[in-house]
Amino acid sequence: MPRRSIHPLALATGFASILRDRRFIAPMLLALCTQVGLLAWVSNSAFTLVRGLGVSTLAYGGMFALVMLGQISGAWFSSRR
């Protein structure tokens, strides 16, 4: 299989063609929402749980580890066929 060009115009054209395909939009939005949710958890959870709700730092570390373990496990399992 020949390699494709990495020229910016070729990349933009390829990306635009993907965005025009209606079958791509729903899975892309699902993946986007998942990543946005994870980013929101990572950026706000320590402040909200430890300072706002009084969760101990040790308990917070366990909660954070479970979320990250879920993220890593999901990526690993989805890569298996």
Side-chain angles (χ1 to χ4, degrees), residues 4-71:
R4 294 181 184 245
S5 172
I6 60 168
H7 189 274
L9 184 58
L11 291 174
T13 304
F15 189 65
S17 70
I18 290 171
L19 287 177
R20 282 191 298 268
D21 187 354
R22 295 181 137 260
R23 296 173 296 171
F24 174 76
I25 299 299
M28 187 264 314
L29 288 176
L30 179 63
L32 178 66
C33 288
T34 302
Q35 292 303 314
V36 167
L38 183 64
L39 181 61
W41 163 260
V42 168
S43 61
N44 294 310
S45 63
F47 177 77
T48 303
L49 292 172
V50 174
R51 287 193 177 177
L53 298 175
V55 173
S56 73
T57 54
L58 183 62
Y60 170 74
M63 289 181 221
F64 190 85
L66 282 173
V67 169
M68 291 302 114
L69 182 62
Q71 176 75 8

